[in-house]
Every structure is written in C-alpha cells, then in structure tokens.
C-alpha cells in the first residue's frame, strides 16, 4: 500500500464535494482547516439530535485524534458564529473519516489500492451506475475495479473515470482494519520522530 497522504498533496482538491448549504459550510470551514494542517473530507447537515453539522477531517498524514477533533471544533466554531450560515440551533460534530471512509480525493484511491470499495457514478458505465469491488489500479484519470459481483455478460474489471464519480466509500473488511491500523501506527511514529528532531534543533 503506497502512502500518498502527506504534505505533497495537502492542497489536493476533493473529487466529491457538497451542494447547497453543505457546500456553503465547506467553503467557510475548509480554509480554516487547511491553515491548521488538516484536510476536509466532508461536511453534512443531518437531522439528528435536532440538527447536527457533521464535519469529517484528517491531518495531512491521514491521522485524526480526539484532541485533533476538539482543536478543529474550537477553531471552526467562532468562524461559523461570525458567518452564521444556519438560521436554526445545531450541534457541531467533528470526527475522523473512520476506517470505512468516504473516498474523496484521487490519492485515496492510490492509497487504498487492493481494498474493497462501493461507488456510484453520475453517468452510466456499462449499463450501471453502482459498483462494488477491489481497487486494482488508480491513475490521474480514474481507477479500475475488479468487481466481486458480476452479472452474466459483464466484464470482471471496470474502469471508472474520476469525472464520473459521484460517491465512493471503503467497505469494512479485516484486511482494511489491519492496513488502516498499521498506517495509523506508522504515521504516529513518524510524527513522534519529527517532534524529537524538532526538539533537538
């Protein structure tokens, strides 16, 4: 599993973005997150506990701790209060994208090659708009899935252009949990080593 989640792609745009009010919220929140060294994954207004604004974010190395969630929450709350985009009471919930995360950037498809994903497209590709399978390849234009549910007459592999993607999410498997935990442990070790190096300077 190659890891492209680093400073080289911190400004990488998202392929899948919000619409309507969610897009307005993302436009307010994203510059604050980027300034703090985080990347926005998704913003959604949900009708739970009254109204909840769900913000998913992560550090550029792919990690997100409880302290990071609190830090992000404290930074974006005053900005949202000033901009006041929502005319009702709401609850702010900041979280990591989780192991079965939404896939919103090209680098996500490179990083999680070999894992199962389910996705939807905005146009028909081979008479379908919904796909599920293992990511076997990803490049600048799209990704190839090896489908695990093939109907008679369909090709096993399908290539989906990023321009056609409307939604994508990793599917929770034992392999995914193992690789996600390994990547998280590696990122935390690298961050600790970097902090030690900074302290020694």
């Amino acid at each position: 599993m190659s890891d492209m989640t680093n400073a080289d792609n911190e400004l990488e745009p998202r392929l899948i973005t919000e619409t309507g009010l969610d897009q307005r919220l993302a436009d307010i929140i994203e510059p604050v997150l980027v300034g703090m060294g985080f990347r926005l994954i998704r913003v959604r207004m949900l009708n739970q506990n009254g109204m909840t604004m769900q913000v998913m974010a992560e550090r550029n190395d792919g990690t997100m701790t409880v302290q990071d969630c609190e830090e992000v929450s404290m930074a974006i709350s005053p900005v949202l209060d000033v901009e006041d985009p929502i005319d009702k009471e709401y609850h702010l919930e900041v979280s990591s994208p989780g192991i079965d995360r939404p896939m919103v950037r090209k680098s996500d498809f490179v990083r999680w090659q070999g894992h199962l994903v389910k996705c939807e497209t905005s146009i028909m590709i081979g008479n379908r708009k919904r796909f599920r399978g293992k990511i076997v390849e990803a490049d600048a234009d799209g990704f190839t899935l090896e489908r695990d549910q093939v109907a008679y007459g369909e090709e096993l592999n399908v290539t989906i252009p990023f321009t056609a993607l409307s939604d994508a999410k990793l599917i929770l498997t034992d392999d995914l949990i193992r690789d996600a935990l390994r990547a998280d442990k590696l990122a935390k070790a690298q961050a600790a080593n970097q902090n030690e190096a900074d302290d020694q300077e």
Side-chain angles (χ1 to χ4, degrees), residues 100-137:
D100 54 343
R101 57 177 298 132
M103 306 278 276
V104 296
R105 290 180 170 85
K106 291 179 181 181
S107 60
D108 291 340
F109 291 87
V110 173
R111 182 175 190 210
W112 298 107
Q113 261 184 75
H115 290 284
L116 284 175
V117 69
K118 60 181 175 183
C119 61
E120 288 187 37
T121 56
S122 54
I123 57 169
M124 293 289 239
I125 297 175
N127 296 323
R128 278 181 176 241
K129 283 188 165 188
R130 288 193 174 146
F131 301 90
R132 177 191 149 114
K134 182 168 63 173
I135 305 166
V136 290
E137 195 179 350

Side-chain angles (χ1 to χ4, degrees), residues 6-171:
N6 57 35
D8 296 341
N9 68 351
E10 66 187 53
L11 299 177
E12 179 188 359
R14 292 180 300 148
L15 300 164
I16 299 168
T17 56
E18 297 78 9
T19 57
L21 175 60
D22 292 346
Q23 182 181 9
R24 168 108 173 88
L25 297 171
D27 291 344
I28 294 167
I29 292 167
E30 195 157 22
V32 178
L33 291 177
V34 169
M36 296 170 67
F38 292 94
R39 297 189 303 174
L40 180 64
I41 305 300
R42 184 173 76 194
V43 179
R44 274 208 182 135
M45 283 305 297
L46 305 169
N47 287 323
Q48 63 187 44
N49 303 334
M51 283 188 79
T52 299
M53 183 193 306
Q54 182 191 67
V55 177
M56 281 187 189
E58 67 186 356
R59 288 194 172 278
N60 295 324
D61 65 5
T63 61
M64 190 71 173
T65 65
V66 173
Q67 291 85 353
D68 291 337
C69 291
E70 290 170 2
E71 193 181 323
V72 166
S73 183
M74 287 192 296
I76 62 178
S77 288
V79 179
L80 289 165
D81 289 346
V82 169
E83 295 285 340
D84 200 21
I86 303 163
D87 58 2
K88 299 183 184 95
E89 287 284 315
Y90 66 92
H91 171 70
L92 177 61
E93 177 186 286
V94 177
S95 69
S96 76
I99 293 176
D100 54 343
R101 57 177 298 132
M103 306 278 276
V104 296
R105 290 180 170 85
K106 291 179 181 181
S107 60
D108 291 340
F109 291 87
V110 173
R111 182 175 190 210
W112 298 107
Q113 261 184 75
H115 290 284
L116 284 175
V117 69
K118 60 181 175 183
C119 61
E120 288 187 37
T121 56
S122 54
I123 57 169
M124 293 289 239
I125 297 175
N127 296 323
R128 278 181 176 241
K129 283 188 165 188
R130 288 193 174 146
F131 301 90
R132 177 191 149 114
K134 182 168 63 173
I135 305 166
V136 290
E137 195 179 350
D139 59 27
D141 301 318
F143 60 100
T144 302
L145 286 185
E146 181 182 288
R147 294 192 264 194
D148 63 355
Q149 301 165 335
V150 183
Y152 180 75
E154 287 184 328
E155 292 289 324
L156 178 63
N157 288 359
V158 62
T159 299
I160 299 171
F162 286 127
T163 52
L165 195 64
S166 63
D167 193 31
K169 186 177 181 185
L170 284 173
I171 296 171

